[in-house]
Amino acid sequence: MPQIQLIPASAEGALDAAEEAVDLLLDTGRAPGDILVLTTGDPHPWAAHELSFGEAAYWALHDAGDDVFYADAAQAERAAGRPVVVFAANGGAAGATAAALPTALARAGALLIVCGDPQQINSVLGTGV
């Protein structure tokens, strides 16, 4: 079972909190290819940019595994597991967090970092984190 770390953040601030978490992971020696970032609302700007070149090119970057990969949480099942998953609960459809969080947990090898509303997160995971 991966360790779960919760970073309290509003839906508006969740993506920024996730970015800070990624920076900290990289600064402490985590390899970029170890990190998967999932978003429930608006895509991360990197994902939006890379998707503009088409799905095939975008997922090829995922498969290469050389860098931090950013994906829509709804597509988490398509993403391979990585040692660290950073989950940004940055809005989206009602229930998006509840639907995607269990998959995010399953994809995280060692650590799941969740950026979002603690009450919402704890009710989904059923634990106090």
Side-chain angles (χ1 to χ4, degrees):
M1 184 79 171
Q3 183 186 348
I4 301 171
Q5 187 179 343
L6 177 60
I7 300 174
S10 65
E12 299 76 29
L15 200 51
D16 287 341
E19 279 288 281
E20 288 174 22
V22 168
D23 287 345
L24 189 61
L25 288 162
L26 296 173
D27 288 347
T28 54
R30 249 314 155 189
D34 284 356
I35 304 168
L36 171 66
V37 181
L38 300 172
T39 56
T40 60
D42 290 337
H44 185 277
W46 180 91
H49 175 75
E50 293 301 334
L51 276 166
S52 71
F53 300 108
E55 289 256 337
Y58 171 75
W59 286 103
L61 291 169
H62 164 269
D63 296 341
D66 296 331
D67 214 340
V68 179
F69 190 77
Y70 299 85
D72 185 322
Q75 294 182 306
E77 290 184 7
R78 185 168 174 184
R82 290 197 175 186
V84 182
V85 174
V86 180
F87 186 95
N90 64 328
T97 297
L101 206 44
T103 305
L105 184 60
R107 292 292 174 273
L111 177 63
L112 172 64
I113 300 174
V114 185
C115 306
D117 174 357
Q119 283 184 303
Q120 183 187 28
I121 306 304
N122 285 329
S123 70
V124 172
L125 292 176
T127 57
V129 285

